[in-house]
Amino acid sequence: MGLHLSQIAEADELLTNDPLALLIGMVLDQQFPLERAFAAPYELTRRLGRPLDVGEIASFDPEALSAIFATPPALHRFPGSMAKRVQAVCQVLVDNYGSDPTQVWSTAADGQELLKRIGALPGFGAQKAKIFVALLGKQLGVRPPGWREATAPYGDEGSRRSVADITSPETLLEVRDFKKQMKAAAKVAAS
Protein backbone atom coordinates (compact mmCIF):
# COMPACT_ATOMS: atom_id res chain seq x y z
CA MET A 1 0.00 0.00 0.00
CA GLY A 2 1.39 3.38 -0.95
CA LEU A 3 0.87 6.76 0.64
CA HIS A 4 -1.69 9.21 -0.80
CA LEU A 5 -0.79 12.43 0.98
CA SER A 6 -0.03 14.76 -1.93
CA GLN A 7 -2.69 13.24 -4.20
CA ILE A 8 -0.07 13.31 -7.00
CA ALA A 9 1.05 9.82 -8.06
CA GLU A 10 4.77 10.59 -8.53
CA ALA A 11 5.04 12.61 -5.33
CA ASP A 12 3.18 9.97 -3.32
CA GLU A 13 5.43 7.25 -4.73
CA LEU A 14 8.46 9.21 -3.54
CA LEU A 15 6.91 9.64 -0.07
CA THR A 16 6.22 5.90 0.07
CA ASN A 17 9.73 4.88 -0.98
CA ASP A 18 11.97 7.60 0.45
CA PRO A 19 11.87 8.09 4.24
CA LEU A 20 13.68 11.43 3.95
CA ALA A 21 11.02 12.72 1.56
CA LEU A 22 8.32 11.70 4.03
CA LEU A 23 10.09 13.45 6.92
CA ILE A 24 10.54 16.59 4.83
CA GLY A 25 6.87 16.53 3.83
CA MET A 26 5.87 16.27 7.47
CA VAL A 27 8.16 19.16 8.42
CA LEU A 28 6.51 21.29 5.73
CA ASP A 29 2.98 20.33 6.82
CA GLN A 30 2.50 23.47 8.86
CA GLN A 31 0.53 26.59 7.93
CA PHE A 32 0.42 25.30 4.36
CA PRO A 33 -1.99 23.10 2.38
CA LEU A 34 -1.08 19.52 3.22
CA GLU A 35 -1.12 18.30 -0.38
CA ARG A 36 1.42 20.97 -1.33
CA ALA A 37 3.55 20.22 1.74
CA PHE A 38 3.75 16.54 0.83
CA ALA A 39 4.30 17.28 -2.88
CA ALA A 40 7.24 19.57 -2.04
CA PRO A 41 9.85 16.79 -1.59
CA TYR A 42 9.16 15.59 -5.13
CA GLU A 43 9.53 19.13 -6.45
CA LEU A 44 12.74 19.51 -4.44
CA THR A 45 14.19 16.43 -6.17
CA ARG A 46 13.25 17.95 -9.53
CA ARG A 47 14.93 21.23 -8.64
CA LEU A 48 18.07 19.48 -7.39
CA GLY A 49 18.11 17.19 -10.41
CA ARG A 50 18.78 14.10 -8.26
CA PRO A 51 17.40 12.06 -5.37
CA LEU A 52 17.29 13.58 -1.91
CA ASP A 53 20.44 12.99 0.14
CA VAL A 54 20.59 13.62 3.89
CA GLY A 55 24.28 14.57 3.92
CA GLU A 56 23.99 16.83 0.91
CA ILE A 57 21.05 18.76 2.34
CA ALA A 58 22.73 19.01 5.76
CA SER A 59 25.84 20.55 4.20
CA PHE A 60 24.08 22.60 1.50
CA ASP A 61 24.83 26.32 1.41
CA PRO A 62 21.92 27.72 3.48
CA GLU A 63 21.30 30.68 1.16
CA ALA A 64 21.33 28.47 -1.93
CA LEU A 65 18.91 26.01 -0.29
CA SER A 66 16.64 28.88 0.72
CA ALA A 67 16.70 30.13 -2.88
CA ILE A 68 15.70 26.66 -4.13
CA PHE A 69 12.79 26.62 -1.68
CA ALA A 70 11.74 30.14 -2.70
CA THR A 71 11.80 29.59 -6.48
CA PRO A 72 8.21 29.96 -7.74
CA PRO A 73 6.13 28.15 -6.94
CA ALA A 74 7.69 28.24 -3.48
CA LEU A 75 7.96 24.93 -1.64
CA HIS A 76 6.29 26.53 1.38
CA ARG A 77 4.57 29.71 2.47
CA PHE A 78 7.73 30.47 4.50
CA PRO A 79 10.45 29.11 2.20
CA GLY A 80 13.46 30.54 4.03
CA SER A 81 12.56 29.34 7.50
CA MET A 82 11.39 25.96 6.20
CA ALA A 83 14.61 25.46 4.23
CA LYS A 84 16.51 26.05 7.48
CA ARG A 85 14.25 23.63 9.36
CA VAL A 86 14.67 20.90 6.72
CA GLN A 87 18.42 21.43 6.82
CA ALA A 88 18.37 21.20 10.63
CA VAL A 89 16.45 17.89 10.49
CA CYS A 90 19.02 16.53 8.03
CA GLN A 91 21.85 17.62 10.33
CA VAL A 92 20.26 15.73 13.25
CA LEU A 93 19.98 12.66 11.00
CA VAL A 94 23.68 12.97 10.10
CA ASP A 95 24.78 13.55 13.70
CA ASN A 96 22.57 11.01 15.49
CA TYR A 97 21.32 8.43 13.00
CA GLY A 98 24.16 7.75 10.55
CA SER A 99 22.40 9.80 7.85
CA ASP A 100 19.65 7.15 7.72
CA PRO A 101 16.15 8.46 8.50
CA THR A 102 14.85 4.93 9.08
CA GLN A 103 17.21 4.59 12.05
CA VAL A 104 14.99 7.08 13.89
CA TRP A 105 12.19 4.51 14.00
CA SER A 106 13.73 1.11 13.27
CA THR A 107 15.90 1.18 16.40
CA ALA A 108 13.29 2.57 18.83
CA ALA A 109 12.52 0.08 21.61
CA ASP A 110 8.90 1.14 22.01
CA GLY A 111 6.29 3.71 21.07
CA GLN A 112 7.30 6.18 23.77
CA GLU A 113 10.94 6.13 22.68
CA LEU A 114 9.90 6.60 19.05
CA LEU A 115 7.63 9.49 20.01
CA LYS A 116 10.48 11.09 21.98
CA ARG A 117 12.88 10.72 19.03
CA ILE A 118 10.43 12.23 16.54
CA GLY A 119 9.54 15.01 18.97
CA ALA A 120 13.24 15.91 19.26
CA LEU A 121 13.52 16.61 15.52
CA PRO A 122 13.43 20.29 14.52
CA GLY A 123 9.90 21.35 13.60
CA PHE A 124 8.17 18.48 15.41
CA GLY A 125 6.12 19.55 18.40
CA ALA A 126 4.18 17.12 20.59
CA GLN A 127 1.11 16.92 18.33
CA LYS A 128 3.05 16.64 15.06
CA ALA A 129 5.26 13.92 16.58
CA LYS A 130 2.17 11.90 17.59
CA ILE A 131 0.70 12.31 14.12
CA PHE A 132 3.92 11.20 12.41
CA VAL A 133 4.33 8.15 14.65
CA ALA A 134 0.66 7.30 13.96
CA LEU A 135 1.35 7.65 10.22
CA LEU A 136 4.33 5.32 10.50
CA GLY A 137 2.27 2.77 12.40
CA LYS A 138 -0.96 2.93 10.44
CA GLN A 139 0.43 3.14 6.92
CA LEU A 140 4.03 1.94 6.94
CA GLY A 141 3.92 -0.90 9.47
CA VAL A 142 6.31 0.73 11.96
CA ARG A 143 4.72 -0.60 15.13
CA PRO A 144 7.01 -0.85 18.13
CA PRO A 145 5.25 -1.98 21.32
CA GLY A 146 2.93 0.73 22.63
CA TRP A 147 2.88 2.83 19.47
CA ARG A 148 -0.91 3.29 19.52
CA GLU A 149 -0.92 4.35 23.16
CA ALA A 150 1.94 6.78 22.50
CA THR A 151 0.04 8.41 19.64
CA ALA A 152 -3.45 8.59 21.17
CA PRO A 153 -5.83 9.75 19.82
CA TYR A 154 -4.09 9.84 16.39
CA GLY A 155 -3.29 6.13 16.44
CA ASP A 156 -6.90 5.13 17.08
CA GLU A 157 -8.14 2.56 14.60
CA GLY A 158 -10.60 3.99 12.07
CA SER A 159 -10.11 7.62 13.06
CA ARG A 160 -10.07 10.46 10.55
CA ARG A 161 -8.11 13.05 12.53
CA SER A 162 -4.88 13.69 10.63
CA VAL A 163 -2.56 12.86 7.75
CA ALA A 164 -2.04 9.49 9.44
CA ASP A 165 -5.55 8.60 8.26
CA ILE A 166 -5.37 9.79 4.64
CA THR A 167 -5.36 6.80 2.31
CA SER A 168 -7.43 8.15 -0.59
CA PRO A 169 -9.11 11.30 -1.90
CA GLU A 170 -12.19 10.30 0.11
CA THR A 171 -10.35 9.98 3.41
CA LEU A 172 -8.65 13.31 2.74
CA LEU A 173 -12.12 14.88 2.63
CA GLU A 174 -13.11 13.05 5.82
CA VAL A 175 -10.02 14.36 7.63
CA ARG A 176 -10.75 17.89 6.40
CA ASP A 177 -14.35 17.58 7.61
CA PHE A 178 -13.17 16.40 11.04
CA LYS A 179 -10.80 19.36 11.32
CA LYS A 180 -13.58 21.79 10.36
CA GLN A 181 -15.81 20.29 13.04
CA MET A 182 -13.04 20.64 15.65
CA LYS A 183 -12.42 24.28 14.72
CA ALA A 184 -16.15 25.04 14.89
CA ALA A 185 -16.42 23.36 18.29
CA ALA A 186 -13.41 25.29 19.58
CA LYS A 187 -14.92 28.54 18.34
CA VAL A 188 -18.20 27.81 20.14
CA ALA A 189 -16.35 26.85 23.33
CA ALA A 190 -14.32 30.09 23.21
CA SER A 191 -17.41 32.30 22.95
Side-chain angles (χ1 to χ4, degrees), residues 121-133:
L121 294 173
F124 284 80
Q127 182 177 4
K128 185 181 275 198
K130 283 185 172 194
I131 292 168
F132 190 71
V133 173

Side-chain angles (χ1 to χ4, degrees), residues 90-136:
C90 288
Q91 191 61 58
V92 169
L93 295 173
V94 168
D95 294 344
N96 300 331
Y97 298 101
S99 299
D100 181 358
T102 64
Q103 291 297 308
V104 176
W105 47 87
S106 66
T107 60
D110 58 33
Q112 283 299 326
E113 182 181 347
L114 177 54
L115 183 64
K116 183 178 177 182
R117 288 179 179 192
I118 298 295
L121 294 173
F124 284 80
Q127 182 177 4
K128 185 181 275 198
K130 283 185 172 194
I131 292 168
F132 190 71
V133 173
L135 173 65
L136 291 171

Side-chain angles (χ1 to χ4, degrees), residues 9-10 14 26 52 82 87-88 93 130 151 157 164 172 185 191:
E10 298 88 350
L14 180 66
M26 194 69 189
L52 299 172
M82 287 302 174
Q87 191 165 39
L93 295 173
K130 283 185 172 194
T151 63
E157 188 70 38
L172 170 62
S191 56

Side-chain angles (χ1 to χ4, degrees), residues 9 36 48 69 75 93 102 114 129 170 184-185:
R36 289 194 53 207
L48 293 172
F69 269 65
L75 298 182
L93 295 173
T102 64
L114 177 54
E170 295 77 25

Side-chain angles (χ1 to χ4, degrees), residues 5-51:
L5 303 175
S6 74
Q7 306 292 307
I8 300 168
E10 298 88 350
D12 285 333
E13 183 178 344
L14 180 66
L15 296 171
T16 301
N17 296 314
D18 185 339
L20 179 58
L22 184 59
L23 269 174
I24 290 172
M26 194 69 189
V27 168
L28 299 177
D29 184 25
Q30 177 180 336
Q31 298 180 342
F32 198 57
L34 77 91
E35 298 97 331
R36 289 194 53 207
F38 285 102
Y42 178 74
E43 181 59 27
L44 181 58
T45 64
R46 288 174 25 101
R47 292 178 187 188
L48 293 172
R50 58 193 166 278

Side-chain angles (χ1 to χ4, degrees), residues 20 24 27-30 32 40 44 47-48 54 56-71 74-92 122-123:
L20 179 58
I24 290 172
V27 168
L28 299 177
D29 184 25
Q30 177 180 336
F32 198 57
L44 181 58
R47 292 178 187 188
L48 293 172
V54 173
E56 179 186 12
I57 294 173
S59 63
F60 218 90
D61 174 79
E63 288 182 23
L65 187 61
S66 184
I68 291 169
F69 269 65
T71 299
L75 298 182
H76 194 274
R77 179 177 169 197
F78 304 109
S81 62
M82 287 302 174
K84 288 178 188 169
R85 191 165 287 163
V86 165
Q87 191 165 39
V89 166
C90 288
Q91 191 61 58
V92 169

